[in-house]
Amino acid sequence: MYQFQRRTAASALSKEDKFRSLFETLPQGVIFQDAKGCITSANPAAAKILGISLEQIPGIKLVNTRWKMISEDGTIVPDEAHPSMIALKTGQTIGPVVKKIFNPETNAYLWLSLTAVPVFHPESEVPHDVYTIFEDVTREKIQQDQLMEREQFFTSLFDNHTAVTLMIDPDNGVIIDANHAAAEFYGWSRQ
């Protein structure tokens, strides 16, 4: 019996070491916050993304003007609307959502994809902690925005060109779009 207990304890330590290693080497940032919103722990990726050292993190509130969280529409996210605060209040997982934060170390804004997950004690319906997983998606967001700008430009160019222009499906020869000049020329109504 003693050897079984020793192996079980060794296995538990091994699992704990594995999870610690995973936490510390993940490329995504992970932070844990208590019910008041104070950060209790974070991994090295979180510190790098947030632009702060690991030693400075414990006790800091994520809802802090240091990071100036901003929504995709450009509005500043109020403290109570941070994904982690919503997860704590509602007990629901929030995200993934895309938000912009200011990194004081690089003096630049980053786009983050965040998911906040409430943590419950057994038999409790109120979360006691929340963890948030996030990653820097700045490059993807910039590319997506540039693609949308180009699409809007070409759509405007197509719609407002004075020549009659039709888009035809090459597989079946069906007209799939027509610009304003074509609609006016053929007497069609554009929906």
Side-chain angles (χ1 to χ4, degrees):
M1 176 125 178
Y2 174 72
Q3 283 192 342
F4 175 75
Q5 288 176 336
R6 264 181 84 185
R7 274 190 238 142
T8 304
S11 296
L13 287 176
S14 176
K15 283 183 181 179
E16 185 177 319
D17 289 343
K18 287 178 186 178
F19 285 120
R20 169 86 34 219
S21 177
L22 176 64
F23 179 72
E24 291 175 355
T25 61
L26 270 174
Q28 293 82 15
V30 180
I31 60 167
F32 284 85
Q33 292 170 267
D34 62 21
K36 294 179 182 175
C38 291
I39 299 174
T40 56
S41 65
N43 70 348
K48 182 179 179 184
I49 292 168
L50 296 174
I52 191 168
S53 73
L54 274 173
E55 295 77 29
Q56 295 172 302
I57 287 180
I60 290 178
K61 285 193 171 199
L62 187 62
V63 289
N64 183 313
T65 56
R66 168 192 309 246
W67 291 293
K68 304 174 190 165
M69 187 175 278
I70 299 173
S71 291
E72 288 185 278
D73 67 3
T75 58
I76 294 175
V77 177
D79 293 352
E80 65 277 1
H82 280 243
S84 59
M85 297 294 96
I86 295 172
L88 279 169
K89 183 178 180 179
T90 65
Q92 300 292 313
T93 296
I94 305 299
V97 295
V98 175
K99 303 288 183 190
K100 184 166 57 169
I101 64 148
F102 183 75
N103 179 313
E105 187 176 281
T106 61
N107 199 34
Y109 280 94
L110 302 173
W111 286 100
L112 302 180
S113 175
L114 306 107
T115 301
V117 181
V119 179
F120 300 85
H121 284 300
E123 299 181 24
S124 174
E125 294 185 21
V126 177
H128 65 85
D129 283 333
V130 62
Y131 66 89
T132 304
I133 301 170
F134 51 97
E135 63 182 318
D136 182 350
V137 293
T138 305
R139 180 180 304 153
E140 294 87 348
K141 178 74 170 132
I142 289 170
Q143 290 172 343
Q144 179 186 21
D145 290 348
Q146 289 172 342
L147 184 61
M148 282 180 51
E149 286 175 17
R150 282 190 215 123
E151 185 178 319
Q152 289 171 349
F153 171 75
F154 286 111
T155 298
S156 176
L157 190 63
F158 173 78
D159 286 343
N160 298 315
H161 196 280
T162 56
V164 171
T165 308
L166 303 172
M167 290 180 71
I168 300 173
D169 185 326
D171 294 331
N172 58 21
V174 174
I175 297 171
I176 55 175
D177 202 356
N179 70 352
H180 291 294
E184 189 175 302
F185 179 79
Y186 291 109
W188 298 334
S189 169
R190 282 194 86 216
Q191 302 288 14

